[in-house]
Amino acid sequence: MKKTFTTKNVAGMAVFSALSFVVYLLELPIFAGTPASFLELDFSNVFVMLAGFMYGPIPAVIVTVIKECIHILVGTTGGVGELANIIITTSFVLVPSIVYRYKKGFKTVILTLAIACIIQTAISLVVNKYINFPFFMGSVPFVPNQVSENAFSALWTYVLAFNLIKTLAISVL
């Protein structure tokens, strides 16, 4: 832990948090004109992933939490979307950043990013079904009602496609 929280590393995490937040504000609609027009692509996780490769998994999660905490101030989800993003982003950065600590190399990066894309996409479906959709459909998270179940059933393919596109784009960058 002493090596993780050196002055240099903490300053680097602060820079990555700031860059990640600024890029977070530049969202691009993926499915404009569809019922899933609320799904917007941002590239903020590129900086989270870089922090994970440079400093390790704990700093990557810290960068994620800082980025999302700042976003609460300008976001419109009341913290629910930010909580969901923390869970989803953490699921994306953990495998690559942990494995890279022990086995460096381009092949390792490619393989672990591919695994991370699959994990993050699966976790995003669970988070959307049990947290986002119930909350935004007027229910209590983890207690889906019929309205949120119907909405998720109608839109889950968009959520799946969106998260595959997002993770692949971030992985390529």
Side-chain angles (χ1 to χ4, degrees):
M1 282 304 229
K2 288 182 182 181
K3 290 181 181 179
T4 300
F5 294 104
T6 64
T7 304
K8 179 182 174 185
N9 289 359
V10 170
M13 286 185 272
V15 169
F16 280 123
S17 296
L19 288 170
S20 185
F21 172 70
V22 169
V23 173
Y24 195 0
L25 298 174
L26 307 172
E27 296 177 317
L28 307 167
I30 296 295
F31 301 115
T34 70
S37 60
F38 60 90
L39 296 171
E40 296 180 321
L41 175 64
D42 70 83
F43 293 100
S44 63
N45 288 344
V46 169
F47 296 103
V48 175
M49 190 60 77
L50 286 173
F53 286 134
M54 290 177 68
Y55 305 119
I58 293 171
V61 173
I62 290 170
V63 168
T64 300
V65 171
I66 291 170
K67 169 188 74 158
E68 296 299 338
C69 286
I70 297 169
H71 192 264
I72 288 173
L73 301 173
V74 297
T76 59
T77 66
V80 174
E82 288 79 11
L83 172 62
N85 281 340
I86 290 170
I87 295 166
I88 291 168
T89 303
T90 299
S91 73
F92 182 59
V93 300
L94 282 181
V95 169
S97 61
I98 290 170
V99 173
Y100 191 75
R101 302 282 292 172
Y102 300 102
K103 183 164 174 49
K104 302 204 182 327
F106 189 68
K107 288 181 182 179
T108 300
V109 170
I110 298 297
L111 178 63
T112 57
L113 284 174
I115 293 167
C117 289
I118 294 165
I119 291 170
Q120 191 265 337
T121 301
I123 295 294
S124 71
L125 287 172
V126 173
V127 167
N128 276 286
K129 180 171 180 154
Y130 294 107
I131 297 175
N132 288 349
F133 276 80
F135 179 82
F136 292 113
M137 296 295 151
S139 180
V140 177
F142 302 107
V143 185
N145 62 15
Q146 196 59 44
V147 174
S148 67
E149 288 286 335
N150 291 342
F152 183 78
S153 293
L155 298 173
W156 77 271
T157 54
Y158 286 107
V159 173
L160 177 71
F162 169 77
N163 282 285
L164 284 172
I165 292 167
K166 180 177 180 173
T167 57
L168 288 172
I170 289 167
S171 296
V172 167
L173 287 175

